[in-house]
Amino acid sequence: MTVLPDDGLSLAAEFPDATHEQWQRLVEGVLRKSGKEASGEAAEDALSTQLEDGLTTRPLYTARETGANANGDTGASVAATAATAATAGFPGFAPFTRGGRPEGTSVSGWDVRQRLAGTDPVRVNEAALADLENGTTSLWLTVGRTGIPADGLARALDGVYLDLAPVTLDAGADYAEAARALLALYAEREVAPEAARASLGADPLGHEARTGEVLDLAEAAALARETAGAWPHVRALTVDALPYHEAGGSAAEELGLSLATGVAYLRALEGGGLGVEAALGQLEFRYAATADQFLTIAKLRAARRLWARVAEACGAPEAGAQRQHAVTSPVMMTRRDPWVNMLRTTVACMAAGVGGADSVTVLPFDNELGLPDAFARRIARNTSTILLEESHLARVIDPAGGSYYVEQLTTELAGAAWEFFQTVEKAGGLPGALRSGLVAERLATTWAARSKKLARRREPITGVSEFPLLSEKPVVREPAPAGPTGGLPRVRRDEAYEALRARSDAHLTATGQRPRVFLAALGPAAAHTARATFASNLFQAGGIEPVHDPVSVDPASAAGAYAASGADGMAVLCSSDALYEEQAGAVAAALRSAGATTLFLAGKPGTAEGSVDEYVFAGCDAVAVLSSVLDRMGVAS
């Protein structure tokens, strides 16, 4: 332990170390003021958040969570550091939790990998050159049935210095043809084998997950054997976990299925004649990065630790450094108010960088609307550039390392993922689990649970379920090539609300007006603003236009205000509980006399019972309420 000199700058030297129990007692006092009685661990549990995979985020993490100090002494920083080093290791060394290379990304930053979708080699080439000239360091090309043809690869890469710009292929079932076209192009342009850096993208099991089409692993093994012998920095296979993330899988499920995929590929490669170290060197892993920054950081760190455990079991622990490609999550992207996607992808990119990803792809903000335009691609690549060049995010190796929370979350997530991986292995490995329906059923269950949170706005979606703007003009893009289908579904967080908004759009086109609801606000602004704002946001999330004019009504003015609003039989009372007790009955009667057929009250169920029909409140099933309202308004589904 280093003893600092007495320079008069000692931190908290006059105060005794605080204990975990003292902090809990402070929490008890805060809870007591809010009307909740809890003590000790129960008080701490009241502030905890339940995550997927049975994980819990607690309000405070100290050395005791890492096991560094059984007495829970938060001042034991030396012991905590030693414990972290023992479980996480050091950057570049097994178990690689802290990074696959000793220097991390501190030398040149992470690889900024831009995805280029499109079927025209000429247009793809124009975009590729523009990206490479302005910050992109590698290209991710869609080739084959849903992208450029394999024989158009040379045109798409015309003018690209292939000894400087790595290329990643995504060709689905056509991976062998695309791979050989790229390798032939390297030979044609006299790129030295040791200078070529590429990922050929063979992923038979990922293709099966997306399409249901079964491919022979032997062909992928043959490609890997050919690559390993001739191209030292080219990886033949990709372990793509995005199909499972896009089907609604949790972080642990994504990790567990990536492990199962990687193990299946190792078996195939060893069966095809490759040694275990060479086989490990032929794999690149692809994961989703979301706007849940700490979960993303922990997921990438856990992925490296888990794969190192697989390599250790195979007898090659020093070859277990996982090569990672992080992609900002398509599931989190919205079609309404797509500009907010820039914020989501910035947080996700930051988390991917902090988590130690080797390559990061930021999907353009308009990715879910069609083919991204030049502006969107520029913003996508500049996201990494700002984080690298202005925020200097890559200059610190494993910046999250040593955080009690991140280390604990990494450990717990790794444990949950390993448990699911073992379940998949017991079902016959990933091929067996896919074909038996185990994977689809597990992911569907996870997504159903998350969908309930989205429907109740427990997981808010800015610009969609929260703070929507009905007057915003839609962003229109050229349609993108249709992606592969037939296997696992592709879900989006906004899908339930998107369906409601589409009904409203069709109604607007047919009638010239959106469906409307009247907000009957009682009393002064101080009494009704909070609930009127809540109701306005709620109904706009379903494409229903709230009419809040006049600002306030009473029993004498309510009927006339409702008649002038053009509302479609619906009104919402918005005010304080006290004013509900005084005026709700009379205002409700006036609204019904003016033609309102359904009355809602913004507040606790049971308030003004007998005067209103239904209630809207924080935590209600917004999707069910809005769908029912549109049905009663006669808006076609």
Side-chain angles (χ1 to χ4, degrees):
M1 178 185 295
T2 301
V3 179
L4 297 177
D6 185 7
D7 57 1
L9 300 176
S10 300
L11 297 175
E14 300 174 5
F15 298 93
D17 289 338
T19 67
H20 199 95
E21 288 70 24
Q22 287 176 310
W23 179 83
Q24 285 179 342
R25 286 197 290 274
L26 292 175
V27 172
E28 292 170 15
V30 173
L31 290 174
R32 199 173 296 116
K33 291 178 181 178
S34 63
K36 297 180 181 179
E37 288 293 336
S39 61
E41 292 293 331
E44 195 167 341
D45 290 342
L47 301 182
S48 298
T49 301
Q50 298 299 315
L51 306 179
E52 292 177 323
D53 304 310
L55 306 182
T56 301
T57 294
R58 303 190 66 78
L60 178 67
Y61 287 84
T62 65
R64 75 175 194 168
E65 277 74 33
T66 68
N69 184 358
N71 295 321
D73 182 1
T74 58
S77 59
V78 174
T81 301
T84 297
T87 57
F90 296 96
F93 297 91
F96 303 105
T97 306
R98 307 198 63 191
R101 294 172 291 172
E103 73 278 11
T105 56
S106 62
V107 176
S108 58
W110 58 79
D111 169 32
V112 181
R113 184 174 294 176
Q114 188 85 318
R115 184 174 186 270
L116 296 170
T119 58
D120 183 355
V122 174
R123 294 181 61 182
V124 168
N125 177 252
E126 293 172 353
L129 294 178
D131 289 335
L132 290 170
E133 290 168 0
N134 292 281
T136 292
T137 55
S138 73
L139 302 174
W140 180 14
L141 302 176
T142 303
V143 185
R145 302 173 194 177
T146 60
I148 58 175
D151 59 10
L153 197 58
R155 180 64 184 88
L157 295 173
D158 186 27
V160 174
Y161 295 108
L162 296 177
D163 55 342
L164 299 178
V167 175
T168 294
L169 301 179
D170 186 354
D174 303 320
Y175 69 83
E177 181 184 4
R180 290 190 168 84
L182 179 61
L183 296 177
L185 192 59
Y186 283 143
E188 178 184 329
R189 296 188 184 176
E190 299 181 346
V191 176
E194 61 274 10
R197 284 168 170 76
S199 178
L200 302 181
D203 186 17
L205 292 175
H207 178 74
E208 181 176 346
R210 286 206 184 278
T211 67
E213 180 184 0
V214 178
L215 301 179
D216 187 0
L217 297 188
E219 185 175 10
L223 177 63
R225 187 172 61 249
E226 173 187 333
T227 303
W231 305 91
H233 301 296
V234 173
R235 295 172 185 258
L237 279 82
T238 296
V239 177
D240 190 356
L242 289 183
Y244 313 112
H245 171 76
E246 291 185 70
S250 66
E253 288 163 350
E254 185 183 347
L255 289 176
L257 292 168
S258 75
L259 286 184
T261 304
V263 168
Y265 288 165
L266 286 181
R267 292 182 180 125
L269 294 179
E270 287 192 85
L274 281 180
V276 64
E277 291 191 9
L280 288 165
Q282 284 298 301
L283 304 182
E284 178 175 271
F285 288 73
R286 183 176 296 143
Y287 295 106
T290 73
D292 188 334
Q293 57 186 351
F294 289 110
L295 190 61
T296 295
I297 293 167
K299 180 169 69 175
L300 295 175
R301 298 174 90 249
R304 291 192 294 271
R305 180 188 296 186
L306 290 165
W307 190 241
R309 181 68 184 90
V310 170
E312 181 184 19
C314 293
E318 299 308 315
Q322 189 183 74
R323 183 77 179 178
Q324 290 182 337
H325 173 202
V327 183
T328 57
S329 166
V331 176
M332 72 178 180
M333 305 285 268
T334 63
R335 288 158 280 193
R336 307 284 172 163
D337 200 0
W339 315 103
V340 182
N341 291 332
M342 297 185 201
L343 306 178
R344 297 184 179 102
T345 54
T346 298
V347 176
C349 181
M350 182 211 70
V354 171
D358 299 287
S359 302
V360 179
T361 294
V362 174
L363 294 180
F365 72 88
D366 55 357
N367 187 72
E368 297 306 302
L369 300 173
L371 284 176
D373 66 4
F375 171 73
R377 293 199 319 276
R378 174 188 175 194
I379 294 298
R381 63 180 180 255
N382 281 352
T383 300
S384 279
T385 300
I386 289 174
L387 292 173
L388 289 168
E389 302 298 336
E390 297 188 20
S391 299
H392 310 298
L393 200 63
R395 292 193 180 183
V396 178
I397 302 170
D398 187 28
S403 160
Y404 295 140
Y405 173 44
V406 172
E407 297 293 357
Q408 184 67 15
L409 184 58
T410 299
T411 297
E412 292 177 359
L413 185 57
W418 189 263
E419 182 179 351
F420 182 50
F421 163 63
Q422 290 178 314
T423 298
V424 173
E425 286 296 285
K426 290 176 183 177
L430 186 59
L434 279 173
R435 294 160 201 171
S436 69
L438 183 151
V439 171
E441 291 172 11
R442 173 72 176 252
L443 301 186
T445 299
T446 300
W447 180 244
R450 189 178 180 190
S451 294
K452 291 180 180 179
K453 295 180 182 178
L454 290 163
R456 294 180 178 277
R457 305 198 296 176
R458 299 296 190 193
E459 182 181 334
I461 311 172
T462 304
V464 178
S465 68
E466 300 284 354
F467 312 113
L469 183 61
L470 291 185
S471 61
E472 184 180 35
K473 293 183 179 180
V475 177
V476 179
R477 292 290 184 265
E478 179 183 346
T485 58
L488 296 173
R490 288 192 175 192
V491 301
R492 296 292 181 270
R493 286 200 312 159
D494 68 352
E495 59 188 20
Y497 295 96
E498 180 64 25
L500 297 171
R501 293 287 294 273
R503 292 176 67 180
S504 173
D505 289 348
H507 187 77
L508 174 63
T509 300
T511 67
Q513 178 177 291
R514 291 194 183 277
R516 291 182 176 180
V517 63
F518 176 62
L519 302 188
L522 314 182
H528 69 239
T529 295
R531 282 172 168 163
T533 301
F534 165 81
S536 177
N537 278 328
L538 172 69
F539 283 95
Q540 286 186 87
I544 301 167
E545 181 183 348
V547 179
H548 188 185
D549 184 26
V551 172
S552 181
V553 299
D554 55 27
S557 62
Y562 174 81
S565 71
D568 297 292
M570 306 284 171
V572 190
L573 273 63
C574 306
S575 193
S576 65
D577 290 347
L579 282 174
Y580 284 151
E581 186 174 346
E582 294 176 10
Q583 300 184 24
V587 170
L591 292 170
R592 292 190 194 278
S593 71
T597 57
T598 303
L599 296 183
F600 291 88
L601 182 142
K604 295 176 291 185
T607 304
E609 192 170 6
S611 298
V612 297
D613 303 300
E614 298 183 35
Y615 299 86
V616 289
F617 51 92
C620 72
D621 190 331
V623 171
V625 168
L626 296 171
S627 181
S628 174
V629 168
L630 290 175
D631 289 343
R632 281 178 278 181
M633 288 179 171
V635 177
S637 58

